[in-house]
């Protein structure tokens, strides 16, 4: 019964987290293209993209955080496993649940702070000082959304731990 | 005892920071140690120059010093003194501040803060590698700009307006990725521009001031007596800070010359071109900020007398 | 102050030991410390700080260089590098392990960030060293150590930050960093040689002997990567690209090489981008945590009070440098090195100048302390990057990096005794 409700929820969380990773990957590509264009434009065409510096900053926040929830599922975030390794499986499991709860609390607090920050920017109509005058609520909203994704991923992780499922996907690519 | 952290984006040796240190110790002494202000220079509290107004408003830091023009994204009226070629010297700047300061103070009150004192940067200059005398000289020169105003001006002059982040600038000057920058003499000397650049033009194209502001919530937590002491001190010390700023320009120009840079007034052609390139900016500013219309009209009327 | 310090120290151990992710642990500590010891609005301080860190322009090179490394990882270029170098290092004790040091030193001329250097070079070297049967511990340790050389050899972001704050010539700092950077590299190579000859490390495999024709062909295999580094360095020193843009030029160069090698495909680009996102997510979370904790410490005035306490001791010049080394080493264990410097500089710089040291020399000294912070546990970014590359535990990586951290301390001692090693080159330039 519980599983029937949870299964689609977990799948939906996985999906939005993957979508976040795609956003991060695209932001990374845009950043590279934009800066290469800038080199060519300023060196050979006497022109500069007035948005290059500003938008590479916004891309950076997407690269750092939009894929964070996905990275959690991939086991990419770093923790010290010294104690967990020496515990019996039951104890390690309990500690993992506890740590995941702790992380969820921190992420929820950070998400709350970032959402407030972005909403307040929207309310005040704060814009960037660059030529574009981008409303700051937009990139700040993206940052807040990224943290919400991370919170969802932590919720999914805890759910998986409690239902006895492996919370992390096996990772290809690392040299073991 | 009350302890307030002050976020300052500039380095510890910058004259604004030194002023702030002096102000802070005067406050500690005058309040008998009841109010202590700790200066955190170099942006070490993580509050960026262009987000300082917001940080004080939110109470993220109790106090901060910030450049007004860098916070126009939050309060556009703060940019009035940075309209190119509106103000020509310190006495005119003083007069502009007398006119606009009540408006600024009200706007800052709405943003939950109060300016204790406001002190200008020394006047602005172009620093270039190659001579910049004629229109042909300006063709394609990569000049670093830092906001919408300067970006438009430089583009109108036929140069390439170049946004660039701070840590990139010195290496870019060294390798020739950047041909020119605009700033005050104190920044130029602090960063030893003579190592990369040859010419200084005292273009005096705009003005920029720093405000030292305090969050109103924390302000309300200290006694009225101490509030009065701090306000009096700020009012008393501000003229001295202005004098330091004014003297700074001449000192720094001598330092630049001593290190082999030329220092000169812009050529007739450059000056005319710069005025032409920026002539609509006051009207644009008024269109975007109607409240500025009266102030600028009054200011210009005063200049005519 | 000591109460706050005890609190932070013990809860850091508790959180990290309990298996809380490093970034969350640091952020939680910052929040709790401010909540307990300071009455202030924490949520907007935190939000503003995360926003500032997440959009900090000086970090833009990081994902770009990591992407460059990922692209190279998916080509034959890393194998080529090793088979190209193998014939030339066969008589060298330590063999191909020196590629870590040489690669990082070379890459340092392009990258101003230590995490980017470690990630990019490690992505190319670690797998090859592993498959060729080199001692894992030396491979990991030498990568962690040499990755930090990126701070000493220009371009270097920490040197720029120091130069602006201390109003010291950035040009002179850049030039001053070169000799100590090379000394550090030489020290690492000597250690690798000693450890593989006399130490308990697994002896490196002898690369097969080769003919001159083979050697010539091997040189050809080194060409693509040499061209790539030349391309990026050239774009920067030719005045075409800024330090930040050079990283994007590196990505372009890596892509051009894959086209040349006929290995460009959509699947490869997707894998490289997602690999970059994985690594950057890891770094981003720890970075916001570490930088927020640094700001919290600044609000609690801890680093400055400790520095001021050192000031009040009235020490002799050598004792002062010794104590400052220990202080920065301790701070660097759990704070970001650069933040610590920014926070303490107003106190320590006048102190050191008064003791008769040159501000350029002190800048180089501080940069080496930042390098140490990169490899000391529990919070050391190079350790985390290597953990991501290999899946090895932080404790083991930290132990592998320990000798290299001690070598940095030795280099600091050498530079303190012979400060001319730092100031000679910039002096030559000044008198020219
Ligand atoms: Na470097
Ligand atoms: Na460390």
């Amino acid at each position: 019964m519980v599983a029937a409700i949870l299964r689609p929820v977990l799948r939906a969380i996985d999906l939005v987290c993957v979508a976040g990773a795609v956003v991060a990957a695209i932001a990374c590509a845009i950043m590279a293209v934009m800066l290469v264009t800038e080199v060519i434009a300023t060196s050979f065409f006497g022109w500069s993209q007035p948005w290059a510096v500003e938008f590479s900053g916004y891309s950076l926040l997407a690269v750092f955080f939009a894929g964070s929830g996905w990275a959690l599922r991939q086991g990419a975030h770093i923790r010290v496993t010294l104690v967990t390794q020496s515990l019996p499986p039951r104890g390690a499991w309990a500690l993992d649940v506890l740590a995941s709860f702790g992380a969820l609390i921190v992420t929820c607090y950070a998400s709350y702070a970032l959402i407030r920050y972005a909403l307040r920017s929207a309310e005040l109509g704060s814009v960037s000082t660059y030529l574009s005058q981008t409303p700051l609520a937009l990139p700040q909203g993206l940052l807040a959304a990224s943290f919400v994704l991370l919170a969802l991923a932590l919720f999914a992780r805890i759910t998986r731990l409690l239902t006895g499922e492996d919370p992390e996907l096996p990772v290809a690519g690392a040299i073991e | 005892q009350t302890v307030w952290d002050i976020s300052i984006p500039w380095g510890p040796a910058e004259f604004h920071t030194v002023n702030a240190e002096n102000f802070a110790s005067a406050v500690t002494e005058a309040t008998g140690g009841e109010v202590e202000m700790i200066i955190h220079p170099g942006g070490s509290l993580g509050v960026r120059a262009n987000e300082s107004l917001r940080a004080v408003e939110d109470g993220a830091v109790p106090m901060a010093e910030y450049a007004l023009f860098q916070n126009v994204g939050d309060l556009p009226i703060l940019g009035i003194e940075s309209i190119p070629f509106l103000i020509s010297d310190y006495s005119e700047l003083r007069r502009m501040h007398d006119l606009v300061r009540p408006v600024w103070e009200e706007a800052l009150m709405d943003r939950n803060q109060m300016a204790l004192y406001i002190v200008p940067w020394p006047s602005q200059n172009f620093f270039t590698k190659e001579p910049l005398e004629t229109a042909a000289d300006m063709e394609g020169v990569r000049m670093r700009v830092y906001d919408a105003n300067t970006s438009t001006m430089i583009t109108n002059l036929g140069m390439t307006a170049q946004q660039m982040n701070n840590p990139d600038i010195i290496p870019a000057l060294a390798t020739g990725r950047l041909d020119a920058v605009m700033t005050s003499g104190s920044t130029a000397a602090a960063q030893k521009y003579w190592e990369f650049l040859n010419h200084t033009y005292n273009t005096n194209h705009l003005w920029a001031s720093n405000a030292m502001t305090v969050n109103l919530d924390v302000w309300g937590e200290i006694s009225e007596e101490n509030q009065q002491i701090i306000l009096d001190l700020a009012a008393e010390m501000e003229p001295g800070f202005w004098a330091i700023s004014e003297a700074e320009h001449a000192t720094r120009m001598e330092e630049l010359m001593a290190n082999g840079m030329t220092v000169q007034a812009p050529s007739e052609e450059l000056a005319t071109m710069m005025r032409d390139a920026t002539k609509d900016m006051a009207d644009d500013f008024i269109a975007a900020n109607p409240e500025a219309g009266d102030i600028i009209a009054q200011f210009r009327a005063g200049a005519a007398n | 102050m000591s109460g706050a310090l005890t609190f932070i120290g013990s809860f850091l151990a508790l959180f990290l030991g309990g298996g809380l992710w490093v970034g969350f642990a640091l952020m939680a500590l910052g929040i709790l410390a401010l909540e307990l010891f300071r009455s202030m609005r924490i949520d907007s301080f935190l939000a503003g700080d995360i926003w500032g860190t997440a959009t900090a322009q000086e970090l833009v090179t990081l994902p770009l260089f990591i992407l460059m490394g990922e692209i190279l990882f998916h080509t034959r270029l890393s194998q080529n590098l090793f088979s190209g170098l193998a014939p030339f290092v066969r008589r060298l004790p330590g063999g191909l392990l020196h590629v870590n040091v040489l690669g990082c030193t070379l890459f340092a001329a392009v990258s101003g960030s230590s995490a980017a250097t470690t990630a990019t070079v490690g992505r190319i070297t670690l797998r090859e060293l592993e498959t060729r049967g080199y001692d894992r511990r030396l491979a990991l340790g030498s990568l962690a150590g040499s990755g930090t050389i990126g701070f000493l050899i220009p371009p270097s972001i920490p040197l720029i930050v120091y130069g602006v704050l201390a109003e010291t010539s950035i040009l002179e700092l850049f030039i001053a960093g070169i000799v100590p950077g090379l000394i550090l590299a030489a020290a690492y190579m000597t250690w690798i040689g000693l450890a593989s000859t006399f130490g308990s490390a697994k002896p490196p495999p002898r690369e097969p002997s080769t003919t001159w024709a083979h050697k010539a062909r091997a040189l050809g295999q080194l060409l693509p990567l040499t061209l790539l580094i030349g391309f990026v360095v050239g774009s920067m020193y030719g005045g075409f690209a800024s330090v930040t843009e050079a990283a994007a030029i590196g990505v372009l160069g890596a892509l051009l090489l894959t086209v040349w090698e006929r290995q460009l495909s959509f699947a490869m680009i997707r894998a490289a981008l997602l690999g970059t996102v994985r690594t950057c997510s890891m770094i981003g979370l720890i970075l916001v945590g570490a930088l927020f904790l640094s700001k919290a410490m600044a609000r609690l005035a801890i680093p400055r009070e400790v520095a001021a306490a050192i000031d009040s001791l009235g020490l002799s010049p050598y004792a002062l440098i010794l104590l400052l080394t220990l202080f920065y080493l301790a701070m660097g264990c759990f704070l970001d090195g650069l933040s610590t410097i920014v926070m303490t500089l107003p106190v320590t710089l006048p102190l050191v100048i008064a003791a008769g040291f040159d501000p350029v020399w002190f800048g180089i000294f501080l940069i080496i302390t930042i390098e140490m912070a990169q490899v000391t546990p529990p919070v050391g970014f190079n350790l985390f990057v290597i953990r991501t590359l290999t899946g090895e535990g932080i404790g083991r990586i930290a132990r592998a990096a320990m000798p290299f951290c001690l070598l940095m301390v030795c280099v600091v001692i050498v530079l303190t005794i012979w400060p001319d090693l730092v100031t000679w080159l910039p002096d030559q330039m000044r008198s020219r």
Side-chain angles (χ1 to χ4, degrees):
Chain A
M1 176 61 200
V2 179
I5 303 169
L6 281 178
R7 190 79 22 227
V9 172
L10 291 184
R11 192 167 317 144
I13 291 177
D14 284 351
L15 270 179
V16 288
C17 284
V18 169
V22 172
V23 169
I26 292 173
C28 188
I30 288 177
M31 200 157 140
V33 170
M34 208 161 51
L35 291 179
V36 170
T37 309
E38 183 67 5
V39 172
I40 296 169
T42 53
S43 301
F44 305 108
F45 297 98
W47 178 68
S48 165
Q49 310 161 92
W51 55 79
V53 166
E54 179 182 13
F55 282 83
S56 56
Y58 304 152
S59 308
L60 185 69
L61 79 82
V63 178
F64 272 156
F65 297 106
S68 212
W70 169 80
L72 184 79
R73 177 95 167 112
Q74 301 262 317
H77 289 304
I78 286 181
R79 58 206 305 199
V80 178
T81 47
L82 215 64
V83 177
T84 352
Q85 276 167 351
S86 59
L87 289 177
R90 200 69 198 154
W93 175 86
L95 202 57
D96 198 354
V97 174
L98 198 67
S100 300
F101 260 116
L104 182 60
I105 293 169
V106 179
T107 313
C108 284
Y109 182 74
S111 306
Y112 154 81
L114 286 167
I115 291 171
R116 259 184 74 124
Y117 199 68
L119 286 179
R120 185 86 177 122
S121 292
E123 188 186 330
L124 296 166
S126 302
V127 297
S128 75
T129 44
Y130 295 99
L131 211 52
S132 69
Q133 306 211 328
T134 310
L136 287 177
L138 296 178
Q140 287 168 357
L142 178 62
L143 183 59
S146 302
F147 271 76
V148 171
L149 277 189
L150 185 54
L152 287 174
L154 281 163
F155 169 79
R157 183 187 168 86
I158 294 167
T159 313
R160 288 197 163 101
L161 279 173
L162 293 179
T163 54
E165 204 182 317
D166 191 352
E168 279 164 21
L169 293 172
V171 181
I175 331 159
E176 298 299 345
Chain B
Q1 195 216 10
T2 308
V3 180
W4 287 342
D5 293 307
I6 306 182
S7 165
I8 297 190
W10 300 280
E14 185 62 70
F15 81 93
H16 284 294
T17 312
V18 177
N19 285 347
E21 292 279 5
N22 291 335
F23 179 69
S25 44
V27 166
T28 306
E29 192 176 329
T31 59
E34 282 175 24
V35 179
E36 196 188 336
M37 298 172 177
I38 302 179
I39 312 284
H40 297 268
S44 55
L45 290 187
V47 176
R48 283 196 287 181
N50 59 349
E51 273 147 19
S52 301
L53 188 155
R54 179 67 191 280
V56 175
E57 174 180 13
D58 291 347
V61 285
M63 284 180 82
E65 176 167 330
Y66 52 84
L68 299 176
F69 81 90
Q70 285 181 313
N71 287 269
V72 292
D74 270 298
L75 271 187
I77 190 67
L78 296 180
I80 194 168
E81 60 174 0
S82 303
I83 297 170
F85 300 110
L86 180 64
I87 298 163
S88 58
D89 56 27
Y90 273 83
S91 70
E92 285 197 17
L93 183 65
R94 183 85 260 179
R95 210 157 48 74
M96 172 53 96
H97 277 207
D98 288 343
L99 288 169
V100 76
R101 196 135 160 186
V103 181
W104 280 350
E105 275 169 4
E106 204 185 315
L108 287 172
M109 286 285 177
D110 287 343
R111 304 298 296 265
N112 197 29
Q113 58 200 290
M114 179 173 67
L116 293 178
Y117 61 77
I118 299 179
V119 179
W121 285 89
S123 68
Q124 297 286 307
N125 316 274
F126 282 5
F127 300 92
T128 65
K129 200 159 270 182
E130 304 294 329
L132 199 66
E133 310 276 343
T134 65
D137 291 344
M138 283 176 239
E139 203 63 49
V141 169
R142 290 176 288 190
M143 163 83 84
R144 195 256 174 149
V145 298
Y146 41 73
D147 63 358
N149 250 343
T150 50
S151 181
T152 311
M153 175 172 82
I154 290 307
T155 308
N156 289 351
L157 283 172
M159 299 194 235
T160 306
Q162 190 76 73
Q163 302 275 4
M164 193 173 274
N165 66 69
N166 275 321
D168 270 354
I169 291 172
I170 294 288
L173 286 174
T175 61
R177 168 68 180 80
L178 201 56
D179 306 307
V181 283
M182 53 169 94
T183 185
S184 68
S186 47
T187 305
Q191 302 194 0
K192 307 197 179 351
Y193 279 178
W194 52 81
E195 291 177 343
F196 323 101
L197 297 171
N198 303 316
H199 306 285
T200 308
Y201 296 94
N202 303 138
T203 48
N204 194 19
H205 51 282
L206 56 80
W207 288 84
S209 301
N210 281 0
M212 174 68 88
T213 74
V214 55
N215 173 286
L216 289 180
D217 303 330
V218 304
W219 180 250
E221 286 165 11
I222 62 172
S223 70
E224 276 182 33
E225 193 191 348
N226 281 337
Q227 287 180 354
Q228 199 54 51
I229 290 175
I230 294 174
L231 288 177
D232 289 346
L233 263 180
E236 186 188 311
M237 294 177 83
E238 193 184 286
F241 294 162
W242 275 62
I244 292 171
S245 162
E246 196 167 356
E248 182 83 358
H249 178 71
T251 320
R252 296 307 188 180
M253 288 306 128
E254 273 172 28
E255 193 175 346
L256 295 179
M257 277 190 282
N259 284 286
M261 286 184 86
T262 71
V263 174
Q264 58 210 302
S267 68
E268 197 65 38
E269 191 171 349
L270 176 59
T272 315
M273 280 187 72
M274 286 180 76
R275 282 174 189 277
D276 284 348
T278 54
K279 64 180 189 307
D280 299 330
M281 285 187 183
D283 292 339
D284 293 347
F285 189 85
I286 294 167
N289 307 277
E291 56 190 329
D294 273 354
I295 299 170
I296 291 176
Q298 279 183 53
F299 174 77
R300 284 182 168 149
N305 291 337
Chain C
M1 181 193 82
S2 61
L5 212 52
T6 315
F7 169 81
I8 290 174
S10 46
F11 273 76
L12 184 67
L14 183 70
F15 286 168
L16 289 180
L20 190 56
W21 289 264
V22 178
F24 293 128
L26 300 176
M27 193 181 284
L29 264 178
I31 296 167
L32 290 175
L34 288 178
E35 185 67 48
L36 280 174
F37 298 99
R38 208 72 211 263
S39 69
M40 57 176 279
R41 273 285 303 279
I42 298 171
D43 68 325
S44 50
F45 190 55
L46 176 68
D49 194 54
I50 296 179
W51 164 246
T53 303
T55 54
Q57 294 290 337
E58 56 271 29
L59 296 174
V60 167
T61 58
L62 191 66
L64 292 174
F65 276 130
I66 290 174
L67 176 59
M68 171 180 149
E70 287 286 335
I71 293 173
L72 294 177
F73 177 76
H74 290 279
T75 66
R76 276 188 302 268
L77 290 162
S78 38
Q79 289 103 294
N80 288 355
L81 173 71
F82 278 82
S83 43
L85 280 174
F88 302 100
V89 297
R90 59 184 296 271
R91 284 173 197 287
L92 209 59
L96 285 167
L97 278 173
H98 295 287
V99 175
N100 270 344
V101 185
L102 293 173
C104 286
T105 311
L106 201 59
F107 195 73
V110 175
S111 157
S113 138
S114 139
T117 308
T118 310
T120 313
V121 175
R123 200 76 169 113
I124 298 171
T125 61
L126 284 184
R127 183 180 55 181
E128 280 294 310
L129 287 173
E130 183 84 7
T131 51
R132 283 166 180 266
Y134 281 89
D135 183 66
R136 187 179 174 105
R137 194 168 156 161
L138 263 181
L140 298 183
S142 61
L143 175 65
S146 345
T148 65
I149 295 179
F151 285 154
L152 272 179
I153 295 191
S156 153
I157 290 164
L159 275 177
I160 295 174
V161 172
Y162 173 83
V164 169
L165 288 181
E167 301 204 348
T168 302
S169 162
I170 291 166
L171 200 61
E172 284 182 24
L173 285 167
F174 272 8
I175 290 167
I178 296 173
V179 172
L182 296 179
I183 292 178
L184 205 52
Y188 291 164
M189 291 179 74
T190 312
W191 174 256
I192 290 173
L194 288 175
S196 8
T197 316
F198 305 108
S200 59
K202 181 165 61 175
R206 201 79 195 277
E207 300 294 340
S209 125
T210 51
T211 62
W212 282 106
H214 193 108
K215 285 196 171 82
R217 213 166 37 246
L219 271 183
Q221 288 182 310
L222 293 178
L223 192 64
L225 277 178
T226 317
L227 279 179
L228 176 62
I229 296 278
F231 183 53
V232 180
V233 170
S235 75
M236 204 156 43
Y237 286 89
F240 298 103
S242 69
V243 172
T244 304
E245 289 158 354
I249 294 297
V251 174
L252 175 69
L255 276 179
L256 291 177
L257 283 185
T258 56
V259 173
W260 186 14
E261 300 267 321
R262 297 175 199 282
Q263 285 179 316
L264 185 69
S265 70
F266 179 71
M268 187 276 280
I269 291 184
R270 190 183 58 188
L273 282 171
L274 285 178
T276 307
V277 171
R278 259 173 60 97
T279 306
C280 288
S281 302
M282 180 279 284
I283 294 179
L285 186 60
I286 298 179
L287 210 56
V288 286
L291 292 180
F292 180 69
L293 181 60
S294 302
K295 276 37 161 298
M297 299 280 275
R299 291 304 288 270
L300 298 168
I302 292 173
R304 277 183 81 165
E305 281 184 21
V306 176
I310 294 176
D311 181 11
S312 67
L313 293 176
L315 296 167
S316 72
Y318 284 143
L320 174 69
I321 292 299
L322 177 69
L323 204 55
L324 283 179
T325 309
L326 294 176
F327 164 62
Y328 282 113
L329 198 56
M331 284 285 171
C333 283
F334 57 109
L335 287 188
D336 169 62
L338 189 55
S339 309
T340 315
I341 288 183
V342 174
M343 280 186 279
T344 55
L345 200 62
V347 182
T348 55
L349 181 64
L351 200 61
V352 169
I353 303 282
F357 291 96
D358 186 289
V360 171
W361 181 88
F362 188 53
I364 301 302
F365 165 84
L366 285 179
I367 298 307
I368 302 179
T369 67
I370 303 188
E371 298 194 340
M372 296 174 193
Q374 297 281 324
V375 297
T376 49
V379 182
F381 277 88
N382 281 13
L383 307 180
F384 299 147
V385 168
I386 294 175
R387 147 99 216 195
T388 298
L389 289 173
T390 61
E392 187 72 84
I394 296 293
R396 294 182 63 148
I397 302 171
R399 270 197 301 280
M402 180 76 81
F404 294 89
C405 185
L406 290 177
L407 284 172
M408 290 187 224
V409 177
C410 294
V411 170
V412 165
I413 295 172
V414 168
L415 297 182
T416 310
I417 299 175
W418 294 288
D420 285 351
L421 288 171
V422 176
T423 51
W424 182 78
L425 206 52
D427 281 347
Q428 293 303 302
M429 184 197 74
R430 217 175 307 165
S431 59
R432 189 164 47 106

